[in-house]
């Protein structure tokens, strides 16, 4: 039995919106509406969804970078929600983060060595020599030279900067790395280098990833398990192979179909999604996807579907998931 | 009938670090109603090419070559003449729809402006026409939306407004520079579908610029793969995707994660990074990253080899590249 | 390629014309102030009534005033005063304002609200008016005018600091520092301050110019530096009554003030060009 590294239970996060008037009822952006999942040691858990589905909010809440409204996040069995910033500090070495923008996530005024050593602040103080050794060690494990530590971020290309950001996340030898769109700002050839690096690091260091992306192909390449989010909830979750081969939620199906294929012979037959993501600021009955769903019927407007198992460890929140899976299988 | 004919276009940028050769010896021919995709990584010159077509190059740019639109050389036009051409014959949509729209004016006003300026419509006519255009690009409720400011629209809707603006003077050529990069896949799908329909119905030519091979494959008839400021492989889209030839094209294709590829195969990576446009390598610009590179490659620029009537490749080692197709060129 | 950023720093400085001109003017004024501490070409403190209203000559480069004091020497000595006021007043504003701004930005919530509303409140008074108010309470004099101008500078820096600090707090590298377990104080010192320093330095040179103007205005009104110590503002005041008899008496201190303010503003502009991180990060 594998060790559970990350266990998220019923995570809720609602951002208050500025009131329209003093007496108006408070309004919220329902960014997370009870999200639950677990990630086991050495695995990669992918989270996909369109912008505004709450995937970045989820990352920030797992990283305890903002207050959570309800629910629990356990990292290696330690509860993270509800702890003060100081109480969390010793725990932080176990979970680190890689950000999306390789230009914005490195302080331009710090040397690479200082940037990479930053998470060591949460540990017991290290000697200068020890610190330097560890920086050199992670630098070489992400494919950079130890001499790069005295340079500044602007001397590196986007891909190299993302390597620096990964090195920073690795330096405390964390169990979990939360990566929020780490390759979406990179060019295709560089993206492949970074994706392979992330895979290699998992093989050599045994890190666990929570990997957030809007790119389904990237998630398929890197992740063992995937969750599809829509409007702050997981609508489908399962092993990558199962979920990509037999999507059990119409939204997943549509997302998969929307990815353009680099092959000759164009125009696939597919359902196109109409409209935009709406309803982040309202709570209503029925399925969150009802406005845009091609399969919608009366039941979807009355009953909110819950996550139910369709196959072995493949869950979906749709009234029609069984039919969808049968049709695909 | 050839609508656009670019011959030996060169663009050089004067920068603080020296001369950057953004585009070198580029040739494009585009017939009326044809769609051309330009694909490449950042810094390969694809956006510069688009800006050159529109006459919108930055001030530090110098050009040589010919840029013929129906036989007239655009590079020799004055700024004033270019203004009319930009409004009437060519239109461009950009990557970031938020920054290309003026936030302080309503959507309607921004669409009406070129209608009144270029087509001389009265205010009322322009208003009606703007409403028709918004409807045409699939914005629900155009009579209400026309009074909205850009920030009240979603990213996809803003891009639709941009397209409406581009359509306002029924251009001959639509240039779309990464029109869907900032959008979600489902919205990207809608926007590309819209562009396709409009191009078909209006008989426009389309130049679609993207870094995404998938977007190009599904939306264009011809492709041009750019690397280091020049076209390394050109041809009809179907041909190219069936017979990827240039080592760079092969590498780019292999480096891209594709749905259905599964987790067992490793992604191919092209070693190194895109070349520095200021210190371009001599000979073939791909030499230092190419697995097939030999001494010859670093010395001389490869000639354009004609694979067949609609497929050209610039490579010294064509035979080896063809043999490597589908195999593991990069190991 | 050894650190291109620092390598080109000096050359960027020399390339900016405003920086060179502004810097030169400021340097000249600084030299005047230092030299006048030991030596002046003529009398500054002693009245030599026989020498009054002398025309410019080899002895008196800009002539003498109605008490026979050497005008050029008085201008030189006045520089001391202006620079002291500028340095001290800007330091007060810088220290208090930047601290308040950083604190507000790190705390957010009602603390930020309170600090910012308070600075809005003090901002609402025109600079001179609040300086007059403060000197009225504390009494006229050099030190009090410095305090008054310093207090006026506090909200200027507080607002600027808080605004730019807030934009740095939103950066991903700050988020990364939070994720590394660094507290707000450490982040403020290590990340926020270095990244807003250039903006603050530029503002400081501009506030320096404003402080010199304010000091001149206060001295002109008799609330600033007291006689016999010369100051540009008081020289203007004294020349006022002689406007039609000896117009040049008013022109000299006026020109000195204008030159100082002009030089400092140019220096500020130049610094902005030189320190602009967008330029230094460009490859």
């Amino acid at each position: 039995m594998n060790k559970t590294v990350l266990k998220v239970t019923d995570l809720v996060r609602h951002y208050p919106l500025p009131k329209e008037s003093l007496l108006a009822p408070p309004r919220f952006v329902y960014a997370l509406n009870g999200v639950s999942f677990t990630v086991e040691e050495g695995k990669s858990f992918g989270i996909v969804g369109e912008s505004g589905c709450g995937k970045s909010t989820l990352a920030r809440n797992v990283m305890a970078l903002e207050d959570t409204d309800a629910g629990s996040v356990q990292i290696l069995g330690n509860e993270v929600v509800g702890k003060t910033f100081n109480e969390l500090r010793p725990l932080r070495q176990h979970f680190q983060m890689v950000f999306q923008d390789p230009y914005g996530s490195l302080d331009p005024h710090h040397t690479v060595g200082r940037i990479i050593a930053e998470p060591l602040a949460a540990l017991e103080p290290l000697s200068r020599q020890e610190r330097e050794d560890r920086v050199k060690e992670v630098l070489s494990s992400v494919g950079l030279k130890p001499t790069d530590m005295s340079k500044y971020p602007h001397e590196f290309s986007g891909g190299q900067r993302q390597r620096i950001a990964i090195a920073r996340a690795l330096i405390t030898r964390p169990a979990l790395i939360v990566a929020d769109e780490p390759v979406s700002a990179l060019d295709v050839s560089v993206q492949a280098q970074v994706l392979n690096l992330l895979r290699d690091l998992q093989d050599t260091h045994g890190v666990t990833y929570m990997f957030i992306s809007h790119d389904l192909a990237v998630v398929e390449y890197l992740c063992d398990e995937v969750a599809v989010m829509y409007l702050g909830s997981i609508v489908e979750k399962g092993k990558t192979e199962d979920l990509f081969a037999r999507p059990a939620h119409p939204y997943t199906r549509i997302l998969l179909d929307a990815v353009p294929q680099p092959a000759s012979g164009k125009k696939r037959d597919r359902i196109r999604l109409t409209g935009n993501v709406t309803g982040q600021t309202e709570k209503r009955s029925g399925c969150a996807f009802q406005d845009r769903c091609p399969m919608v019927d009366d039941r979807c407007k009355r009953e909110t579907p819950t996550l139910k198992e369709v196959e072995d460890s493949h869950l979906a929140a749709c009234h029609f998931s069984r039919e969808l899976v049968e049709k695909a299988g | 009938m050839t609508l656009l004919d670019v011959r030996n276009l060169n663009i050089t940028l004067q920068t603080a670090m020296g001369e950057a050769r953004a585009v070198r010896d580029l040739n494009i021919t585009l017939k009326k109603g044809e769609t051309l995709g330009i694909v490449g990584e950042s810094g390969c010159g694809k956006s510069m090419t688009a800006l050159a077509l529109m006459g919108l190059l930055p001030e530090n740019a110098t050009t040589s070559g010919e840029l013929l639109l129906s036989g007239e050389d655009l590079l020799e036009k004055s700024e004033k003449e270019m203004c009319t051409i930009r409004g009437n014959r060519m239109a461009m949509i950009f990557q970031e729809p938020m920054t290309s729209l003026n936030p302080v004016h309503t959507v309607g006003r921004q669409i009406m402006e070129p209608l009144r300026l270029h087509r001389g419509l009265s205010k009322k006519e322009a208003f009606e026409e703007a409403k028709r255009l918004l409807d045409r690009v699939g914005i629900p409720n155009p009579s209400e939306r026309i009074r909205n400011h850009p920030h009240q629209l979603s990213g996809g809707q803003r891009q639709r407004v941009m397209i409406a603006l581009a359509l306002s003077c029924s251009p001959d050529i639509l240039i779309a520079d990464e029109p869907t990069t900032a959008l979600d896949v489902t919205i990207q799908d809608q926007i590309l579908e819209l562009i396709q329909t409009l191009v078909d119905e209006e008989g426009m030519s389309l130049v679609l610029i993207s870094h995404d091979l998938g977007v190009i494959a599904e939306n264009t008839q011809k492709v041009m793969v750019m690397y280091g400021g020049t076209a390394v492989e050109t041809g009809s889209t179907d041909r190219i995707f069936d017979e990827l030839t240039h080592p760079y094209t092969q590498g780019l294709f292999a480096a891209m994660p594709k749905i259905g590829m599964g987790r067992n195969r490793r992604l191919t990576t092209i070693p190194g990074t895109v070349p520095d446009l200021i210190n371009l390598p001599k000979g073939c610009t791909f030499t230092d990253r190419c697995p097939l590179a030999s001494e010859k490659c670093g010395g001389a620029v490869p000639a354009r080899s004609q694979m067949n009537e609609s497929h050209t490749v610039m490579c010294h080692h064509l035979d080896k590249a063809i043999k490597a197709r589908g195999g593991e060129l990069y190991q | 390629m050894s650190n291109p950023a620092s390598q080109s720093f000096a050359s960027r400085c020399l390339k900016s014309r405003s920086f060179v001109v502004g810097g030169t003017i400021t340097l000249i004024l600084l030299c005047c102030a230092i030299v006048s501490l030991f030596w002046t070409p003529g009398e500054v403190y002693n009245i030599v009534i026989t020498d009054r209203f002398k025309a410019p000559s080899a002895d008196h480069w800009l002539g003498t005033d109605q008490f026979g004091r050497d005008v050029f020497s008085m201008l030189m000595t006045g520089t001391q005063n202006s620079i002291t006021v500028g340095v001290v007043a800007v330091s007060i504003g810088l220290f208090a304002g930047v601290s308040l701004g950083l604190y507000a930005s790190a705390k957010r919530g009602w603390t930020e609200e309170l600090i910012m509303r308070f600075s809005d409140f003090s901002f609402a008074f025109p600079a001179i008016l609040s300086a007059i108010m403060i000197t009225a309470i504390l009494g006229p004099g050099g030190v009090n005018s410095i305090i008054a101008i310093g207090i006026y500078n506090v909200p200027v820096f507080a607002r600027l600091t808080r605004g730019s600090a807030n934009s740095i707090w939103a950066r991903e590298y700050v988020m990364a520092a939070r994720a590394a377990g660094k507290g707000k104080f450490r982040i403020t010192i290590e990340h926020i301050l270095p990244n807003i320093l250039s903006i603050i330095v530029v503002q400081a040179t501009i506030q320096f110019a404003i402080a010199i103007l304010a000091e001149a205005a206060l001295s002109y009104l008799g609330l600033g530096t007291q006689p016999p110590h010369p100051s540009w503002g008081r020289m203007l005041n004294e020349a006022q009554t002689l406007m039609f008899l000896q117009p040049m008496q008013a022109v000299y201190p006026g020109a000195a003030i204008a030159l100082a303010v002009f030089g400092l503003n140019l220096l500020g502009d130049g610094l902005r060009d030189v320190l602009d991180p967008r330029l230094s990060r460009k490859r």
Side-chain angles (χ1 to χ4, degrees):
Chain A
M1 188 65 205
N2 266 330
K3 198 162 66 165
T4 300
V5 170
L6 173 66
K7 184 173 162 66
V8 175
T9 321
D10 286 326
L11 204 64
V12 176
R13 177 73 176 130
H14 296 164
Y15 295 106
L17 281 172
K19 277 190 186 182
E20 278 165 341
S21 76
L22 259 181
L23 298 173
R27 295 187 310 146
F28 293 96
V29 174
Y30 297 98
L32 292 177
N33 302 314
V35 171
S36 308
F37 60 91
T38 55
V39 191
E40 281 172 1
E41 189 176 27
K43 299 280 181 194
S44 307
F45 188 81
I47 291 168
V48 291
E50 295 179 277
S51 51
C53 73
K55 52 191 196 306
S56 289
T57 307
L58 181 60
R60 281 198 301 275
N61 278 278
V62 167
M63 287 304 296
L65 289 172
E66 59 179 40
D67 292 332
T68 305
D69 290 327
S72 123
V73 175
Q74 288 183 348
I75 291 167
L76 297 172
N78 298 301
E79 180 60 50
V80 165
V81 173
K83 287 224 169 86
T84 65
F85 197 76
N86 288 334
E87 285 169 349
L88 277 170
R89 188 166 296 129
L91 281 179
R92 290 221 179 250
Q93 56 175 298
H94 302 305
F95 55 107
Q96 290 289 331
M97 188 161 177
V98 177
F99 295 86
Q100 173 177 4
D101 178 10
Y103 293 86
S105 66
L106 310 176
D107 190 330
H109 285 87
H110 288 192
T111 61
V112 168
R114 194 170 167 197
I115 288 169
I116 292 177
E118 184 155 48
L120 293 175
L123 269 61
E124 266 92 74
L126 293 173
S127 74
R128 207 191 151 88
Q129 189 56 45
E130 246 177 303
R131 186 186 292 254
E132 217 163 86
D133 288 346
R134 280 181 83 160
V135 171
K136 282 180 181 157
E137 182 195 317
V138 286
L139 266 175
S140 56
S141 68
V142 298
L144 293 170
K145 293 190 290 287
T147 47
D148 287 337
M149 65 184 285
S150 55
K151 292 187 185 165
Y152 284 87
H154 71 256
E155 296 171 60
F156 296 89
S157 68
Q160 288 172 316
R161 284 167 186 241
Q162 207 58 313
R163 285 172 193 267
I164 295 169
I166 293 169
R168 168 173 62 190
L170 277 177
I171 196 155
T172 58
R173 296 163 191 154
L176 173 73
I177 291 183
V178 175
D180 188 359
E181 305 260 11
V183 294
S184 53
L186 304 175
D187 274 321
V188 180
S189 67
V190 180
Q191 168 179 300
Q193 294 169 5
V194 173
L195 283 174
N196 281 345
L197 171 69
L198 286 171
R199 252 196 177 183
D200 295 344
L201 290 172
Q202 187 160 45
D203 292 343
T204 50
H205 294 61
V207 276
T208 307
Y209 292 127
M210 179 179 139
F211 188 88
I212 291 170
S213 179
H214 68 275
D215 188 334
L216 286 108
V218 167
V219 167
E220 189 191 10
Y221 176 70
L222 198 74
C223 297
D224 303 277
E225 269 189 278
V226 190
V228 181
M229 281 185 77
Y230 189 77
L231 282 184
S233 306
I234 292 180
V235 294
E236 185 169 358
K237 185 167 71 174
K239 290 211 187 75
T240 312
E241 302 87 65
D242 298 344
L243 190 138
F244 276 63
R246 294 179 297 281
H249 196 284
Y251 181 61
T252 315
R253 170 90 265 164
I254 289 165
L255 272 184
L256 281 168
D257 280 351
V259 180
Q261 294 298 310
S264 64
K266 49 199 72 175
K267 291 303 142 209
R268 298 154 287 136
D269 242 354
R270 59 187 161 181
I271 319 164
R272 278 209 165 76
L273 203 54
T274 50
N276 300 293
V277 178
T278 48
Q280 284 133 303
T281 58
E282 51 192 304
K283 267 228 149 126
R284 47 180 184 181
S285 59
C287 176
F289 192 51
Q290 53 177 297
D291 293 348
R292 303 171 80 192
C293 186
M295 311 177 70
V296 67
D297 75 2
D298 285 347
R299 192 172 159 208
C300 305
K301 291 178 180 155
R302 277 179 281 121
E303 276 175 59
T304 311
T306 50
L307 268 183
K308 287 187 300 273
E309 196 153 86
V310 254
E311 301 176 295
D312 182 34
S313 69
H314 182 179
L315 292 84
C318 177
H319 298 308
F320 304 105
S321 47
R322 273 188 203 286
E323 293 155 44
L324 273 165
V325 170
E326 270 159 32
K327 217 160 62 184
Chain B
M1 190 195 93
T2 304
L3 184 63
L4 181 72
D5 191 1
V6 177
R7 291 181 194 160
N8 291 321
L9 178 69
N10 282 280
I11 304 173
T12 310
L13 298 171
Q14 304 293 334
T15 68
M17 312 288 285
E19 274 191 359
R21 303 200 56 191
V23 172
R24 288 173 302 126
D25 302 323
L26 194 72
N27 291 287
I28 304 173
T29 50
L30 191 64
K31 294 198 187 81
K32 191 164 165 34
E34 240 181 352
T35 55
L36 168 74
I38 302 181
V39 69
E41 298 180 276
S42 53
C44 72
K46 52 192 198 308
S47 288
M48 273 302 151
T49 309
L51 293 176
L53 292 178
M54 291 295 289
L56 291 172
L57 283 172
E59 297 220 326
N60 60 352
T62 45
T63 49
S64 71
E66 285 174 27
L67 219 163
L68 306 170
L69 179 69
S70 325
E72 293 174 76
D73 194 347
L74 297 185
L75 293 179
E76 282 166 11
K77 298 276 178 201
S78 68
E79 175 55 28
K80 204 172 158 195
E81 286 169 313
M82 271 317 287
C83 264
T84 10
I85 290 171
R86 274 202 287 273
N88 290 314
R89 312 208 42 199
M90 290 199 288
M92 185 161 173
I93 42 185
F94 299 88
Q95 177 178 347
E96 191 27 79
M98 191 62 212
T99 45
S100 353
L101 287 168
N102 188 336
V104 301
H105 292 163
T106 63
V107 164
R109 183 168 164 184
Q110 295 184 56
I111 302 177
M112 281 158 67
E113 199 180 275
L115 290 172
R116 299 184 64 192
L117 213 67
H118 290 299
R119 279 170 54 182
L121 298 184
S122 74
K123 199 166 176 182
K124 198 159 166 245
E125 287 167 334
F127 188 80
E128 289 306 314
E129 179 66 12
K131 234 165 42 181
R132 191 190 69 81
L133 282 167
L134 285 179
D135 190 46
R136 184 99 175 77
V137 296
I139 287 189
N141 239 327
S143 31
E144 236 172 79
R145 286 294 179 198
I146 200 165
R147 291 177 216 285
N148 280 165
H149 287 268
H151 67 92
Q152 291 165 298
L153 305 176
S154 68
Q157 282 179 327
R158 282 199 287 265
Q159 200 56 290
R160 284 174 193 272
V161 170
M162 281 307 295
I163 296 171
L165 250 170
L167 281 183
S168 61
C169 294
S170 36
D172 299 333
I173 303 178
L174 179 66
I175 299 168
D177 187 359
E178 304 263 6
T180 57
T181 306
L183 304 173
D184 282 316
V185 268
T186 57
I187 310 293
Q188 160 170 298
D189 207 28
Q190 294 171 16
I191 297 290
L192 290 174
E193 164 81 7
L194 172 70
I195 293 178
Q196 276 300 318
T197 322
L198 292 172
V199 164
D200 283 351
E201 289 175 9
E202 310 268 326
M204 285 186 289
S205 303
L206 172 73
V207 178
L208 178 66
I209 295 170
S210 178
H211 67 280
D212 187 334
L213 286 167
V215 168
I216 297 290
E218 291 194 349
N219 294 285
T220 58
Q221 295 158 353
K222 295 203 301 184
V223 191
M224 184 163 89
V225 182
M226 286 188 78
Y227 183 79
T230 200
V232 292
E233 184 161 1
T234 57
S236 76
T237 309
D238 287 349
R239 258 261 140 66
I240 289 210
F241 281 95
D242 283 339
E243 305 173 349
L244 299 164
T245 305
H246 195 281
Y248 175 66
T249 322
Q250 290 194 31
L252 197 64
F253 185 82
M256 192 182 155
K258 288 166 283 288
I259 285 194
M261 195 178 92
R263 298 179 24 77
N264 304 323
R265 275 184 54 205
R266 202 177 155 74
L267 276 180
T268 299
T269 59
I270 308 176
T273 49
V274 288
D276 185 359
L277 294 174
I278 292 163
N279 299 308
L280 273 180
K282 282 197 188 68
C284 174
T285 46
F286 193 54
T287 309
D288 52 347
R289 300 176 75 186
C290 183
L292 298 177
S294 66
E295 226 156 276
K296 193 157 89 180
C297 300
V301 178
R304 236 168 267 282
S305 322
Q306 202 81 30
M307 303 273 297
N308 54 52
E309 79 278 9
S310 71
H311 189 174
T312 56
V313 180
M314 259 175 89
C315 181
H316 283 304
H317 296 293
L318 211 53
D319 299 338
K320 278 194 215 163
I322 292 171
K323 221 176 274 166
R325 257 184 216 154
E328 296 296 315
L329 188 54
Y330 295 82
Q331 273 308 329
Chain C
M1 247 191 48
S2 69
N3 204 354
S6 67
Q7 207 171 39
S8 58
F9 184 79
S11 71
R12 269 211 317 277
C13 284
L14 293 176
K15 247 184 220 159
S16 163
R17 203 180 301 156
S18 347
F19 183 85
V20 173
V21 176
T24 314
I25 295 175
T26 313
L27 212 62
I28 290 171
L29 290 175
L30 207 62
C31 289
C32 280
I34 293 168
V35 169
S36 71
L37 285 172
F38 314 105
W39 173 83
T40 49
E43 273 304 336
V44 175
Y45 295 102
N46 292 332
I47 294 172
V48 188
I49 223 71
T50 48
D51 274 355
R52 69 198 293 245
F53 295 139
K54 280 266 173 73
S57 65
D59 284 345
H60 305 287
W61 295 347
L62 295 177
T64 57
D65 70 353
Q66 75 266 43
F67 300 115
R69 294 174 298 188
D70 183 60
V71 171
F72 186 76
S73 307
M74 285 176 74
L75 285 180
M76 266 176 83
T77 319
T79 317
Q80 277 176 31
N81 194 43
S82 292
I83 287 176
T84 316
V85 171
V87 168
V88 178
V90 170
S91 304
I92 293 173
L94 206 59
F95 185 75
V98 171
S99 314
L100 280 173
L102 287 175
Y103 186 72
S105 175
K107 279 281 174 194
R108 305 307 288 262
W110 63 267
T111 319
E112 182 185 24
E113 200 65 17
L114 198 74
I115 292 175
M116 290 341 283
R117 283 324 123 239
F118 181 74
S119 84
D120 283 349
F121 173 76
S122 52
F123 217 54
F125 289 96
I128 292 298
L129 202 66
S130 52
I132 291 172
M133 202 168 70
I134 291 165
T135 40
I137 297 166
L138 300 174
V143 177
N144 289 347
S145 70
I146 289 176
I147 294 173
I149 297 165
I151 289 173
Y152 157 73
N153 272 330
V154 173
V156 176
F157 284 106
R159 283 181 142 195
L160 180 78
T161 306
R162 176 236 174 204
S164 19
N166 277 357
S167 78
I168 303 292
W169 274 105
R171 299 279 166 89
E172 273 189 350
Y173 56 79
V174 172
M175 187 82 98
R178 299 276 295 160
K182 287 199 173 164
K184 288 189 167 175
F185 182 73
R186 271 190 85 172
I187 292 178
T188 299
I189 300 298
E190 289 177 18
H191 292 285
I192 310 292
L193 198 55
N195 278 293
I196 62 171
L197 207 58
S198 62
I199 303 170
I200 292 173
V201 167
V202 171
Q203 188 64 35
T205 55
I206 291 162
Q207 288 309 119
F208 200 105
I210 293 175
I212 289 179
L213 268 182
E215 191 276 335
L218 282 181
S219 302
Y220 176 81
L221 295 170
L223 296 169
T225 318
Q226 296 302 306
H229 209 80
S231 97
W232 295 344
R234 242 202 23 268
M235 286 171 74
L236 264 181
N237 183 9
E238 285 164 5
Q240 181 187 235
T241 46
L242 309 163
M243 258 309 266
F244 296 102
L245 294 169
Q246 295 284 333
M248 291 315 277
Q249 298 290 337
V251 169
Y252 296 135
I257 294 168
L259 186 73
V261 171
F262 175 69
L264 282 163
N265 275 319
L266 268 187
L267 183 67
D269 273 0
L271 272 175
R272 197 196 317 262
D273 297 344
V274 173
L275 295 174
D276 194 324
R278 271 170 305 172
L279 289 172
S280 66
R281 247 177 271 161
K282 213 178 253 177
R283 294 234 281 160

